[in-house]
Amino acid sequence: MIGNATFRHHNTALLAVTSVEAPVVVSSSDFDERLAPSLKRLRLSKRLLERVAGVKERRWWAPGTAFDDAAIEAGAKALAEAGIEAGQIGLLINTSVTRRNLEPSVAVKIHNGLGLPSSAMNFDLANACLGFVNGMTLAANMIDSGQIKYALIVAGEDAQATQETTFRRLNAETSTREDYLREFATLTLGSGAAAAVIGPASDHPGAHRILGGVSRAGTSHHELCVGGPDGMFTDTKGLLDNGLELVTNAWDEAHTDGWDWRKMDRYVTHQVSNSYTNAIIKAVDLVRSKVPVTFPKWGNVGPASLPMTLAQEAQTLSAGDRVLCMGVGSGLNTTMMEIAW
């Protein structure tokens, strides 16, 4: 065994998972129009976003709505759905990539906005698109240990400012085809928010058991996707090839350690693009009909994309269904987590 070990949770359940859609729909055709001067100059065809990535549209927040306000809204929805009072929360983890300042944490505004008690620990956990699943794992460990009883994990993302900066840079007379391809992933991003409440399974026998999973790191590839306020710069092929190797290794390690994920009822993956989804399905031989896709309408909503997809799928899942959450984050890191619905 090389890499990170598998892990198991003994008394943790998912009580609720909710999402908030940003209301302003922005199509890939709209993006093509914004980039028309550079696409013409660089002799690049329109509809690459839709044809290659499969992203037909994404969403932006309405003017005056901040990403952390949306995270507060998602958190309030999750608490209401779970039937848990704000005063019962012992831990808040914000997993957003988006942030407006280095300090204080994004979590403090969300903690205050939700009226959580002074006794509730709160902090940011940043690990690119894998952050939300990491947050669930950390909170589950703390619940299993008895340190806390209930945890709230949130993520709110806002892609607009970064994409506006990317438009300006790519429309400059000095931009090249290589620049466009290197920043192509930035144009697939979207805005949205998600939240989950988890607590002790022993107190909620009808809730969805978080059983555990596997985690693996491939940090020698930490320069393949680097994002910041000015944009996201990606070696797309390198990211896909090495990400697939990491996923396959994690999958094999988990099965060596007693997990069996070959016949799940649903595989909820991090949402990126057509090529990413197709490659994951092929690499570990998943049943395509059991892999929902939301990136055509939401784009890649960073760490919020997986829980937003899970919240959508929750409407059609039945008691006893087996769900595998599968995430990969730039860095590279991957985690898979099984939930018994």
Side-chain angles (χ1 to χ4, degrees):
M1 179 185 297
I2 58 174
N4 297 324
T6 58
F7 53 91
R8 287 170 171 79
H9 301 301
H10 306 292
N11 187 37
T12 308
L14 175 67
L15 309 186
V17 58
T18 61
S19 67
V20 174
E21 276 193 11
V24 181
V25 178
V26 187
S27 70
S28 290
S29 295
D30 295 332
F31 274 26
D32 284 342
E33 290 305 312
R34 294 283 299 270
L35 290 167
S38 65
L39 291 175
K40 182 178 180 180
R41 178 174 56 82
L42 299 174
R43 296 191 175 122
L44 289 167
S45 63
K46 291 184 177 181
R47 300 191 67 239
L48 284 176
L49 282 164
E50 191 169 336
R51 247 185 329 107
V52 176
V55 177
K56 297 180 180 179
E57 59 191 34
R58 78 284 293 136
R59 278 140 175 81
W60 287 351
W61 299 111
T65 299
F67 73 96
D68 40 15
D69 292 328
I72 291 170
E73 181 182 350
K77 283 179 63 177
L79 289 172
E81 186 175 303
I84 300 299
E85 299 292 331
Q88 295 176 270
I89 295 296
L91 171 67
L92 167 71
I93 303 177
N94 167 66
T95 64
S96 306
V97 169
T98 304
R99 59 190 311 113
R100 66 171 57 88
N101 41 256
L102 293 177
E103 60 175 317
S105 69
V106 176
V108 295
K109 177 180 175 180
I110 299 170
H111 183 283
N112 180 67
L114 290 169
L116 300 185
S118 177
S119 56
M121 290 180 285
N122 60 97
F123 50 81
D124 293 349
L125 186 162
N127 196 19
C129 296
L130 199 59
F132 200 98
V133 180
N134 290 156
M136 291 180 66
T137 299
L138 176 59
N141 286 334
M142 294 177 71
I143 291 168
D144 278 349
S145 73
Q147 184 175 355
I148 61 168
K149 191 166 186 180
Y150 295 105
L152 176 64
I153 298 92
V154 300
E157 301 300 337
D158 188 349
Q160 182 176 357
T162 300
Q163 289 170 332
E164 296 280 9
T165 301
T166 300
F167 290 147
R168 289 192 293 270
R169 187 164 49 244
L170 292 181
N171 274 330
E173 289 294 326
T174 54
S175 68
T176 65
R177 290 172 68 97
E178 289 71 24
D179 291 333
Y180 183 86
L181 296 175
R182 198 164 57 102
E183 300 192 51
F184 184 77
T186 308
L187 304 175
T188 69
L189 299 177
S191 304
V197 176
I198 65 176
S202 55
D203 289 4
H204 301 272
H208 319 304
R209 288 292 301 269
I210 300 175
L211 301 181
V214 64
S215 180
R216 239 181 203 276
T219 55
S220 59
H221 309 298
H222 63 275
E223 294 183 346
L224 293 178
C225 180
V226 178
D230 291 336
M232 187 164 69
F233 306 92
T234 304
D235 174 349
T236 304
K237 186 179 186 305
L239 193 66
L240 181 61
D241 291 347
N242 290 288
L244 283 177
E245 182 180 2
L246 195 64
V247 166
T248 303
N249 288 342
W251 177 275
D252 291 343
E253 180 174 314
H255 285 79
T256 299
D257 198 39
W259 295 96
D260 185 0
W261 294 329
R262 287 177 281 262
K263 295 182 179 180
M264 307 298 287
D265 295 288
R266 209 70 50 91
Y267 298 92
V268 180
T269 64
H270 171 53
Q271 300 290 308
V272 180
S273 65
N274 274 330
S275 56
Y276 169 87
T277 302
N278 292 337
I280 290 288
I281 289 171
K282 182 178 180 181
V284 292
D285 195 24
L286 304 182
V287 178
R288 183 175 294 275
S289 62
K290 296 181 178 181
V291 184
V293 295
T294 56
F295 62 80
K297 61 178 178 178
W298 290 336
N300 176 356
V301 200
S305 70
L306 191 153
M308 287 178 69
T309 305
L310 181 60
Q312 172 186 280
E313 293 303 296
Q315 303 170 35
T316 59
L317 290 168
S318 302
D321 283 349
R322 298 176 66 206
V323 179
L324 186 66
C325 297
M326 305 174 68
V328 178
S330 56
L332 291 169
N333 287 287
T334 187
T335 294
M336 302 174 195
M337 171 184 285
E338 181 176 348
I339 303 174
W341 214 258

